[in-house]
Amino acid sequence: MGSRHERWVDEAAGPLVRPYAITRGRTGPRGERLDLVTILTGTGRPVPERTRLSPEQYRMLALCRRPTTVADIASDLALPVGVIEVLADDLMDLGLLGVARPAPVGRPDMDTLRRIRDDLRAL
Amino acid sequence: MTYVPSEPVLRAGAPGVGGTAPRDDTEPGIQPGVGGTDPRDDTEPAPAAGPSSAYKILVAGGFGVGKTTLVGAVSEIRPLHTEELMTEAGSGVDDIRRIEQKTTTTVAMDFGRITLSQGTVLYLFGTPGQDRFWFMWEELSRGALGAVVLIDTRRIEASFAAIDYFEHRSDPFIVAVNRFQDAYDYTAEEIRDALDIAPEVPIVLCDARRRESAKEVLVALIEHAMRRPGHPDEAQAYA
Ligand SMILES: Nc1nc2c(ncn2[C@@H]2O[C@H](COP(=O)(O)OP(=O)(O)O)[C@@H](O)[C@H]2O)c(=O)[nH]1
Ligand SMILES: [Mg+2]
C-alpha cells in the first residue's frame, strides 16, 4: 500500500503530461461541449477511406459500440477528459460517433428522483 | 423560492439514539477505507445496453475529510483525470514562448459509478477542495443532482471553501460530518451554528468508511433535492 500522501489530490496534481501528441496539437473541442456524463455511441458507419484514426480513437469506437459516458471513456482509456473531448469531436465530425444522450441540464422530475432514492436504499 | 423548514437531523450510521460515545475504529464489521480489503468490484459489468441516463453527484470538502473514502465505500471507484491548461502567471517567459509552452495540469478526481435500475447510472465525482480548482466545480456541478460537502470537525475550516461555493449556487447540497474516532462528538446543531449553515441545509452525521452510512448520505441528498422544487425556468433534466 502506498503512502498516505499518494492519495492527496494536490500532490497528484502538477504539470505531468503533454497530451497534445495524442490530440495532434489541439487543446479544445470545436463542436458541442461535452459533459462528463454526456452519453456517446458509435454510429456503426465504416471509417471513411484515407482517414487515419489514432489507436486511441479506435479504442474509443470499440468502447462506444454501446452507449458510454465521457467519464467512463476517459477512465477506461486512462486518458484525461480534455483529450477524450478532442478525440470525440473529431470522430463526430467524421460521422463515426454521436451523442446518444446529452447530459441532464436541470433537476429530474419527482418520479425519477424517487426511483433514484429507492434504488440507492436497496443497494 | 420556497423556504423549506429545518429537517430533523439525520444520523446516518450513527451508533444509535443518544449514542455519543466515540466510534471505535477497531470494531469489527467496519469497512476499511481506501486500501486494505476495500471491496471494489472491478468485475461488475456495465449494463449490457450501456447507460440510458446518467446523473452527477459531487462530493466536495477539504483534503483529508474522507471524499475518496466515501466514494469508495458506496461505488465502484476508478481513476479519472482531467487535464487543464493552466496559465502560468509571472513566469518571466516572453509571450511567444509562453504560448508554445502551455502548461498542462492533470487533476486527479475521485470517480465512482453506481448502477441503478432502468439503465440509470449515478456518477460520483470527488472534487479537489482547493480554490484553484473552482473552475472545475463549475463544470462538474452543471446539471448535477447535487453535492455532498464532507467535513471533519477537527478541521472544519478545511471545508469552508466548499460550503461557501455551494451556498452561492442554487443546486441542492447537504453537509455530511465524517465522524473520525478521535474527534469530539458534536451534534449536528452545534455544527450548524459553528458553520453558520442555513436551517434548510440538512446536516447528516456519517462514517465515510461504511457503505450503509455512505448510502444514507446519498439518500439524504436526493431527499433534499426532492424537497426543493427546481427553479421554474429551469429546464427539466433531459429536456
Ligand atoms: N478513522 C477514520 N478515518 C477515516 C475516515 N474517513 C476517512 N478516513 C481516513 O482519513 C484519511 C483521509 O481520507 P480520504 O478519503 O483520503 O480524504 P480525501 O482527501 O477527502 O479524499 C484516509 O487515511 C482515510 O482512511 C473515518 O470516518 N474514520
Ligand atoms: Mg481523496
Side-chain angles (χ1 to χ4, degrees):
Chain A
M1 204 59 233
S3 84
R4 175 188 178 95
H5 284 284
E6 282 173 23
R7 286 193 296 275
W8 253 239
V9 169
D10 196 31
E11 295 179 12
L16 288 177
V17 291
R18 297 182 60 81
Y20 308 116
I22 299 171
T23 63
R24 293 168 187 158
R26 282 178 50 204
T27 55
R30 289 178 297 247
E32 74 182 286
R33 189 107 185 97
L34 298 176
D35 189 273
L36 283 163
V37 294
T38 302
I39 303 172
L40 299 176
T41 189
T43 60
R45 292 201 196 119
V47 178
E49 257 177 71
R50 317 243 298 270
T51 300
R52 284 195 53 204
L53 300 182
S54 63
E56 291 82 7
Q57 285 172 313
Y58 278 111
R59 292 171 65 204
M60 259 179 90
L61 287 178
L63 273 179
C64 292
R65 278 200 290 257
R66 66 176 182 209
T68 309
T69 58
V70 169
D72 279 327
I73 296 169
S75 181
D76 286 355
L77 299 190
L79 287 171
V81 175
V83 172
I84 296 302
E85 286 175 351
V86 171
L87 296 179
D89 205 48
D90 284 341
L91 291 175
M92 289 197 268
D93 283 351
L94 290 167
L96 300 174
L97 191 70
V99 173
R101 199 154 200 198
V105 290
R107 206 72 48 77
D109 58 51
M110 251 334 147
D111 286 347
T112 305
L113 285 172
R114 203 170 289 120
R115 180 168 60 81
I116 290 172
R117 179 198 60 189
D118 294 345
D119 285 352
L120 277 170
R121 279 199 176 131
L123 275 182
Chain B
M1 174 102 173
T2 324
Y3 198 77
V4 183
S6 177
E7 274 295 308
V9 171
L10 297 156
R11 290 176 60 85
V17 181
T20 51
R23 226 173 40 221
D24 178 7
D25 274 353
T26 59
E27 178 187 310
I30 290 186
Q31 283 180 0
V34 178
T37 54
D38 193 5
R40 304 172 187 192
D41 189 1
D42 289 334
T43 59
E44 187 203 54
S52 58
S53 53
Y55 296 100
K56 295 184 281 191
I57 289 179
L58 277 62
V59 180
F63 290 117
V65 296
K67 299 182 296 295
T68 304
T69 305
L70 182 115
V71 173
V74 77
S75 68
E76 172 200 349
I77 194 167
R78 296 183 303 151
L80 180 69
H81 296 88
T82 71
E83 144 268 320
E84 303 290 343
L85 284 177
M86 296 277 192
T87 314
E88 201 75 50
S91 62
V93 186
D94 68 82
D95 282 351
I96 290 166
R97 275 192 62 204
R98 194 179 303 158
I99 291 166
E100 285 176 343
Q101 299 195 332
K102 278 173 186 160
T103 358
T104 304
T105 295
T106 299
V107 182
M109 272 194 289
D110 298 316
F111 171 47
R113 187 172 66 183
I114 304 174
T115 303
L116 305 177
S117 67
Q118 297 177 33
T120 298
V121 182
L122 277 189
Y123 289 87
L124 306 183
F125 296 100
T127 63
Q130 270 189 332
D131 294 5
R132 71 186 176 100
F133 294 124
W134 276 349
F135 66 90
M136 276 180 50
W137 292 9
E138 281 300 321
E139 178 146 0
L140 282 169
S141 49
R142 197 173 305 132
L145 285 179
V148 173
V149 178
L150 267 176
I151 68 166
D152 172 354
T153 55
R154 298 166 304 181
R155 305 177 294 116
I156 52 172
E157 68 284 354
S159 296
F160 282 173
I163 291 171
D164 283 350
Y165 181 85
F166 290 105
E167 265 178 346
H168 290 100
R169 296 185 57 94
S170 58
D171 319 292
F173 80 99
I174 66 169
V175 171
V177 182
N178 191 16
R179 304 168 78 238
F180 288 81
Q181 79 279 10
D182 54 338
Y184 176 80
D185 219 8
Y186 295 96
T187 68
E189 286 319 306
E190 285 172 317
I191 289 160
R192 187 185 300 283
D193 287 347
L195 287 170
D196 195 22
I197 292 169
E200 69 269 23
V201 175
I203 298 180
V204 303
L205 308 181
C206 73
D207 181 339
R209 300 163 304 175
R210 290 182 50 234
R211 178 177 165 85
E212 279 307 308
S213 183
K215 261 168 57 175
E216 284 181 57
V217 169
L218 298 184
V219 166
L221 174 64
I222 303 298
E223 295 201 315
H224 183 47
M226 290 168 71
R227 282 191 297 269
R228 296 183 16 145
H231 198 265
D233 54 336
E234 187 179 71
Q236 285 226 317
Y238 290 129

